[in-house]
Amino acid sequence: MDLNTLLDTPPWDWPEDAGETFLETLVDKQAKEADRLIAAQLAGDLIVMNDEMADVLLAIVGSGDEPEELRAKAAISLGPVLEEAGLDEFEDPDDLPIAERTYHEIQDTLHKLYLESNPKEVRRRILEAAVRAPQGWHTSAISAAYSSGDKDWKLTAVFAMGWVRGFDGQILEALESPDPEIHYEAVIAAGRWQLNAAWPHVVALVEDPSTPKELRLAAIEAVGAIRPQEAQDILLDLAESRDEEIAEAATEAISVSMDLSDEEDDEEEEGDEEDEDDEEDEDGKWIN
């Protein structure tokens, strides 16, 4: 199987034995390094993830004998399954690709490896993967990375802030960063946490056609989350854009904003009903 062809193939179109091929390539230290890197990258897809795959990836992350780039790739590939398992919390364990034991083993091992003197790139990717299922140690790790004075670590920190709450001020600060990668991650984080203070900045990015495309796409998604009702007016014209990616992103953002608006309306109605009940209780009504 030519692994290069799978890079441009949707996972649902992969051969049935794709996962086995990834495993064989990952454990074969005589295989081409390029093939092992591709296998490590693709092995993180939930379609092929299982306990054995997670164990192999985790072993590579922790092995000082493996190439640094391969260790970093393996770490990042553990992120999606951590996120999936963290969201489900094993309420439906049969629907998850790994067992709860494996989930906790990944978390514990990544924490241990992060604290050890591993290469910078490996530690960065460990943190970027680990925060997709937030734990207590992540807050201090993110703070240290952000204030380190190292551009790469700051980039990792801002990415991680999109997964771990409590960094609104730093996200707003990062929106003003001249570094395009940090700026991009800050836009994503602002949208994910619906930071109202980021609204003017993000709207300006959406409305400026000279905004770099990837950044503009991220901003389009963010405005739909930050102020759902106002976003719809801003995004309507973009939904008719000749640029298919812009139009698709705007249409999706409008759909998300409508759902969020409905949720806000429901919450307001529930709040009004609770206020009415409180008033009735105070008047002595409905009290047995």
Side-chain angles (χ1 to χ4, degrees), residues 12 26 36 44 46 60 75 95-96 110 131 147 157 163 182 199 201 223 227 246 277 280 284 287:
W12 51 86
L26 287 170
R36 296 186 78 204
L46 297 179
I60 290 173
D95 293 335
L96 293 170
L110 290 183
V131 294
S147 59
W163 297 93
I182 291 174
W199 175 258
H201 183 97
V223 296
R227 291 189 188 174
I246 294 291
D277 290 342
E280 289 172 344
I287 297 176

Side-chain angles (χ1 to χ4, degrees), residues 120 124 128 145-159 177-183 185:
K120 168 183 168 181
R124 285 182 61 214
E128 291 171 8
Y146 187 75
S147 59
S148 66
D150 182 288
K151 186 186 76 169
D152 293 334
W153 272 115
K154 188 170 185 178
L155 174 61
T156 285
V158 178
F159 169 85
S177 173
D179 184 287
E181 292 181 301
I182 291 174
H183 187 193
E185 294 298 342

